[in-house]
Every structure is written in structure tokens, then in C-alpha cells.
Amino acid sequence: MVYYARNMELEVISQVFHGSVNDVAVCRDRLSASGTLYTLLAVHDRECARKLLTVMEDSQRTGEASCLLQFSQNETMLFLFPYREERKLSAFAAGQMTSPEAGEAICINLVMECLSTSLPWPLLYLVLEQDCVQIAKDNTVYFTMILDLKDLEPARTERNCVSSCARLLLDLLAGPVAGGGGRRRKLKSFELIRKKAGKNAYTGFPELYQDIKVTALPQMKPSLKSRFRFFWNNNRDRLFRILLVLCILLVIAALVILASQLIFGDVPLLRLFRHTFDVIGTENLHQGGRS
């Protein structure tokens, strides 16, 4: 399927979600040579489209621009967002939390992303609630827009979002440390956030950021074993390819040497390792006389 907007022809290359009020697809502009991918929210429910338009208009009044493009085609309202590859926090964070300090650093990155995002609060709330928080290999956090908009509520505020984020942080901080063989000890950051979240005391992200920042453990230099494990996890595919190429080159070299031995009875390459100056003319240096 192709959607037409301004100077773009957005071809759907993957349908990633189909819901009762909206669909989500990954598309690219057929008129662009760069092959840039986009996330396209196609809203086919009129009431949901009205809500989302209200949310977007309110965010534009504050000077934020979270959506690249809004347009309609037939009876469908379409919203274009940047595309980011999915690497879910819920699936990958546990394996990257090699220490309590690393876990708290990931939590800080999540809160910082919430502080810096241009998404309006109702959409950010859905991102946090619908497992659309992603984590990169370097522990940075980002959001994707593969959302089910049936629960969209324009009245959602920052307070709703920070409460949802606090629940995510508690899940992260209470989980097991990768390779630790057990659950992490109770952290000051966990205890503080648990108490305040239980009382619904958070009203904004700066307050949540301050709490985890001041209670976080100091960053320790990772051990040699941890650094080796991190290096191996991030480079094992590349190392395997290098070893595979080396093995192929060694096999080719062995076949060349074998063929040379069978055809010429000698391997010219091995002459480089012989004592070529042992015999000079009629003089044999080893025998000390004429040959």
C-alpha cells in the first residue's frame, strides 16, 4: 500500500500492528534515494482521530514538534514519526544490568529521555505503558511509536507519566543483576522511589530525576572480566567473521603449497627461510672450503 503526502510517496514495507482504532506500519518514501524509514500511525476510528488531533494541537501550542507530518487519505488520518528499530527495555535491560550501578544508570537514562522527549503527555503515557521503551547496546534509552491508541486519553498529564515511569524504574531496580546469581540488594534509590510512588507523591520528572540521581551508587570502574564480557558480547560476530576469513586463507595457502610440492617437487615460498648465503660460488661456508 502507498500513501501520498506533500512530495512523498510512502510505501508500506511492514505492518507491525493492527488494532481496533488504528494500525501502525513501517514505510519509506519511494521518491527519496536515501531509503529513510518512518513509522506511520493510521487512525481509522473518527473519535480516536479527533482525540489525537487535539493532543497534537496542544503540543504544537507549547512549541514542540513530535510528529513529522499529519495528513489524511480517504477516511484515514495519518501521523508520520521517525523510525527507530525495536530493542525492548523489557527484554534487553536485564542482560545489560551487570551491576547495581549499571541498573541505576539505565534508570537515569530513561528519566532523561522522558524529560527531553517532545511527545505530548498522553502519547508518552502510552509509550511507557505499552512496552515501547527501547534500550541501545550502550544503555541509552529511546522510544518507538508502535502504539495502540484505543486507550488514548487527552487528559493525561505529566503526573500520570511520571507515575508510570516510576513503576518501570522499580521493576528495573528490583530485578536480578546479570550474572549475579540472585536478586540485587535493596538500593537507596529503590527504597526512596518505592515510598514516594506508593503515596503518588511525584508530580514531575525533575523530581524523579533528582531522587534517583542523589541516591545512586557512585559509578565504579568495571572489572576486567566485565569489560571482557561486554567486549565479547558486542564484537563476537565480527571476531567470528575474522576467524572464518583467516581459516579460509590458511586452507587456500595449504592447498597452494600441496599443489606446488606435487607439481614442482618444491615450494618456492619456503626458500625464503633457507640459508641462501651458505654457498657462494665454490665456497661452502659450513664446510669452510670449496664445494
Side-chain angles (χ1 to χ4, degrees):
M1 188 171 184
V2 179
Y3 295 98
Y4 299 92
R6 294 183 183 175
N7 297 322
M8 303 175 73
E9 292 184 6
L10 298 168
E11 179 185 15
V12 173
I13 61 174
S14 176
Q15 192 80 31
V16 293
F17 174 77
H18 177 72
S20 58
V21 299
N22 73 286
D23 301 331
V24 183
V26 176
C27 59
R28 65 183 167 206
D29 183 9
R30 296 197 304 190
L31 302 180
S32 173
S34 63
T36 304
L37 297 179
Y38 301 93
T39 299
L40 186 69
L41 271 67
V43 185
H44 45 75
D45 179 86
R46 289 186 177 181
E47 179 62 20
C48 181
R50 183 189 64 79
K51 289 181 179 179
L52 188 53
L53 282 172
T54 300
V55 168
M56 291 300 181
E57 288 174 359
D58 290 342
S59 68
Q60 288 174 358
R61 291 192 193 104
T62 62
E64 298 174 339
S66 57
C67 181
L68 298 176
L69 185 64
Q70 303 175 26
F71 63 101
S72 62
Q73 185 164 310
N74 299 327
E75 298 296 320
T76 303
M77 197 70 198
L78 299 137
F79 300 84
L80 194 67
F81 293 88
Y83 171 80
R84 293 289 301 270
E85 183 180 5
E86 283 193 287
R87 198 173 187 273
K88 291 186 177 295
L89 183 78
S90 58
F92 289 93
Q96 295 179 207
M97 296 170 71
T98 55
S99 67
E101 295 84 1
E104 288 178 324
I106 292 173
C107 291
I108 291 173
N109 289 341
L110 172 55
V111 178
M112 287 295 297
E113 184 65 15
C114 291
L115 279 166
S116 61
T117 185
S118 60
L119 289 173
W121 301 125
L123 288 183
L124 178 59
Y125 181 82
L126 292 183
V127 166
L128 295 170
E129 290 289 318
Q130 295 184 6
D131 199 20
C132 292
V133 180
Q134 319 294 330
I135 183 171
K137 291 182 179 180
D138 62 356
N139 288 343
T140 56
V141 173
Y142 59 95
F143 302 142
T144 54
M145 298 299 294
I146 305 176
L147 301 176
D148 183 355
L149 298 175
K150 68 179 181 180
D151 297 324
L152 178 65
E153 291 293 341
R156 299 285 187 193
T157 64
E158 182 178 4
R159 186 166 195 152
N160 300 123
C161 294
V162 74
S163 295
S164 179
C165 183
R167 290 193 292 271
L168 283 179
L169 299 189
L170 291 176
D171 289 341
L172 290 171
L173 295 173
V177 178
R183 302 190 71 79
R184 67 178 76 245
R185 66 183 184 273
K186 296 298 183 182
L187 301 171
K188 290 182 180 180
S189 55
F190 173 85
E191 292 296 339
L192 179 58
I193 295 172
R194 182 181 63 82
K195 290 177 181 178
K196 297 185 72 170
K199 299 176 182 178
N200 197 26
Y202 286 115
T203 59
F205 281 105
E207 184 182 357
L208 181 58
Y209 174 80
Q210 182 69 15
D211 282 352
I212 190 171
K213 189 69 175 178
V214 298
T215 57
L217 295 172
Q219 289 290 320
M220 298 177 63
K221 188 176 180 179
S223 65
L224 182 62
K225 182 179 179 181
S226 298
R227 282 183 287 176
F228 176 78
R229 186 187 299 115
F230 181 80
F231 174 80
W232 172 253
N233 289 336
N234 285 276
N235 296 278
R236 56 186 174 186
D237 292 339
R238 184 184 305 171
L239 293 174
F240 175 77
R241 289 193 292 269
I242 292 174
L243 289 175
L244 181 61
V245 171
L246 290 176
C247 289
I248 293 174
L249 292 176
L250 288 174
V251 170
I252 293 174
L255 292 175
V256 170
I257 290 174
L258 179 61
S260 178
Q261 185 68 37
L262 293 175
I263 296 173
F264 303 108
D266 190 14
V267 182
L269 181 62
L270 297 181
R271 295 174 185 172
L272 297 174
F273 304 100
R274 294 177 180 172
H275 297 287
T276 55
F277 294 102
D278 285 350
V279 178
I280 303 176
T282 59
E283 295 291 336
N284 189 318
L285 300 182
H286 280 301
Q287 297 179 358
R290 297 178 181 274
S291 60

